[in-house]
Amino acid sequence: DAGITQSPRHKVTETGTPVTLRCHQTENHRYMYWYRQDPGHGLRLIHYSYGVKDTDKGEVSDGYSVSRSKTEDFLLTLESATSSQTSVYFCAISGRDSEAFFGQGTRLTVV
Amino acid sequence: EVQVTQSPEALRLQEGESSSLNCSYTVSGLRGLFWYRQDPGKGPEFLFTLYSAGEEKEKERLKATLTKKESFLHITAPKPEDSATYLCAVQAGSNYQLIWGAGTKLIIKP
């Protein structure tokens, strides 16, 4: 398995609270991604990073921010969690033109 | 706009009954088409990358093919352990991001 670790694996939080999800890689890949996966939808890109401190928005970035201060770590923050952000979140890593490898996912419930 | 459509949404087969899953796309400048397998509660697992029309790749009971408008994932004599959701994604033009289909849930009955 590719060396990707997501934490936490499960989290329940209250509406309006900030939440941070962590993705850690040991593969030294340049590109890192945060996706969400919901029933009836494909994986949807939230934010991605193409290097330390280099990040950009994906198709569903509203309400989310990211940071990458080290090659190995990519953090996703829900600034003020809402029920619509209840989802399964996946981190992925890749080289530029190569396949992406995924973490095990974080199941987030906002109540 | 890039669109990726997978069909059928779900497919139930008997063990040993061969079939195919479809991934159609509307994109110019395809750079790669990717197939993944996803088991419940887990992240997607990479299967294949196809780069150009006419290309084929095989792995055990799975074979992926690519034309200019679609890709097929052929499953020959499937076993119950092949049950999973199969996802495809495309990468196109100057954008290296992946655009994903919604997946096909495959169930193989013993």
Side-chain angles (χ1 to χ4, degrees), chain B residues 42-94:
Chain B
K42 296 190 175 182
E45 176 187 347
F46 171 73
L47 292 173
F48 304 108
T49 308
L50 302 167
Y51 294 103
S52 58
E55 188 175 2
E56 299 182 352
K57 288 194 177 172
E58 289 188 64
K59 180 180 180 180
E60 297 181 354
R61 295 175 293 281
L62 300 176
K63 183 170 79 172
T65 61
L66 181 64
T67 71
K68 289 186 178 179
K69 294 184 178 181
E70 60 192 347
S71 177
F72 291 94
L73 185 65
H74 306 279
I75 302 175
T76 302
K79 298 181 178 182
E81 54 262 42
D82 295 321
S83 297
T85 295
Y86 290 85
L87 304 170
C88 75
V90 301
Q91 191 179 56
S94 60

Side-chain angles (χ1 to χ4, degrees), chain B residues 27-54:
Chain B
V27 65
S28 58
L30 179 73
R31 296 174 59 187
L33 186 142
F34 302 80
W35 281 99
Y36 284 78
R37 168 193 172 126
Q38 186 175 24
D39 293 300
K42 296 190 175 182
E45 176 187 347
F46 171 73
L47 292 173
F48 304 108
T49 308
L50 302 167
Y51 294 103
S52 58

